[in-house]
Amino acid sequence: MTERFDQGMATRRTVLGDAHVDRAEAAKTDFDAPFQTLITEGAWGSVWSRDTISKRERSMLTIALLAGLGNDHELAMHIRATARTGASRQDVLEALLHVAIYAGVPRANHAIKIAKETFAEMEETRP
């Protein structure tokens, strides 16, 4: 693999956690391996690994974009990742308030529902 892949995998593990990445890697097949390499190098190795803004800020941007686009499954995953990025519940709410204004109240309303459910699940599974 490439240096960018290695950096991406390290960043991906930092943000999403080893358990999540290990599950994704175990589920990888020959069919989706090129896609997994693409996102590891591109999203995680190129964008998330940059040091121009913090992981907290990147987390908030990602949550707002996912909510605005209606990518619910990815939204819940990135809300769970706030435990590792330093984005607080208040940060998530602030991002979703922006979604309400710039992408629409229905998208923000649904994202807030997902955030509440995800934060509740996180509380239940916290040691």
Side-chain angles (χ1 to χ4, degrees):
M1 288 293 157
T2 66
E3 185 177 323
R4 185 158 310 234
F5 181 89
D6 292 340
Q7 177 60 56
M9 188 58 77
T11 300
R12 188 176 174 198
R13 287 183 179 284
T14 297
V15 172
L16 300 178
D18 288 331
H20 175 87
V21 176
D22 289 345
R23 280 191 306 275
E25 287 294 297
K28 183 170 61 176
T29 66
D30 289 342
F31 177 74
D32 69 332
F35 174 75
Q36 291 296 322
T37 298
L38 173 72
I39 62 173
T40 300
E41 290 179 343
W44 299 107
S46 292
V47 176
W48 272 90
S49 292
R50 294 174 58 86
D51 62 2
T52 51
I53 63 174
S54 70
K55 294 222 180 342
R56 173 186 163 267
E57 292 165 314
R58 248 179 240 294
S59 188
M60 293 167 62
L61 287 167
T62 301
I63 287 167
L65 287 163
L66 292 171
L69 293 168
N71 292 314
D72 300 342
H73 179 71
E74 294 280 322
L75 177 61
M77 177 181 73
H78 278 278
I79 289 171
R80 283 189 292 278
T82 61
R84 290 173 209 80
T85 64
S88 68
R89 289 177 186 220
Q90 190 62 40
D91 291 334
V92 171
L93 178 60
E94 291 299 323
L96 296 178
L97 291 173
H98 270 65
V99 170
I101 298 303
Y102 292 101
V105 169
R107 290 282 169 118
N109 187 42
H110 189 63
I112 288 170
K113 177 181 181 252
I114 291 169
K116 287 168 54 176
E117 290 169 354
T118 304
F119 283 133
E121 290 169 9
M122 291 168 67
E123 291 257 332
E124 291 173 7
T125 60
R126 191 179 343 177

